[in-house]
Amino acid sequence: YFSVPAESLAARIAGLGDGLYIIGLANHIGFVVVDGGEVRLVHASYTGAQVVTDEPLVSAQAIADSRPKGYFVTPVMHDDRLADLWLRGVAVPL
């Protein structure tokens, strides 16, 4: 998504559906969690207290800082079976 306002970015990502996504920013990466239309950015913040932060995507400074260069978003997993195995701590058969 190239240079869109945070509100538009959040709406577009929410449109992808509930799930966990990786977001690539100008100089940073993080996770986006979509749950029931709520869109949150989870990342190791490089501003403020510099700790792992869970914040609304629309108000995240990292999103604002990356707007000129755009954002790359992809789902973490495309296969619900893999997510289920991982959450249960079960080895993935090859």
Side-chain angles (χ1 to χ4, degrees):
Y1 303 102
F2 182 72
S3 195
V4 298
E7 295 81 8
S8 296
L9 178 64
R12 290 180 185 186
I13 295 172
L16 298 173
D18 286 357
L20 180 64
Y21 301 87
I22 296 173
I23 186 167
L25 305 171
N27 296 306
H28 194 53
I29 62 167
F31 293 103
V32 175
V33 179
V34 179
D35 186 16
E38 182 179 18
V39 182
R40 300 191 63 81
L41 177 66
V42 179
H43 63 114
S45 178
Y46 58 87
T47 62
Q50 297 181 346
V51 297
V52 174
T53 305
D54 175 356
E55 59 188 332
L57 184 135
V58 297
S59 59
Q61 186 63 47
I63 296 298
D65 291 348
S66 294
R67 182 175 176 189
K69 292 188 177 182
Y71 322 91
F72 297 90
V73 179
T74 187
V76 170
M77 294 186 186
H78 295 278
D79 184 341
D80 289 341
R81 184 182 68 85
L82 290 177
D84 178 62
L85 292 171
W86 175 68
L87 289 170
R88 292 188 292 127
V90 176
V92 176
L94 298 176

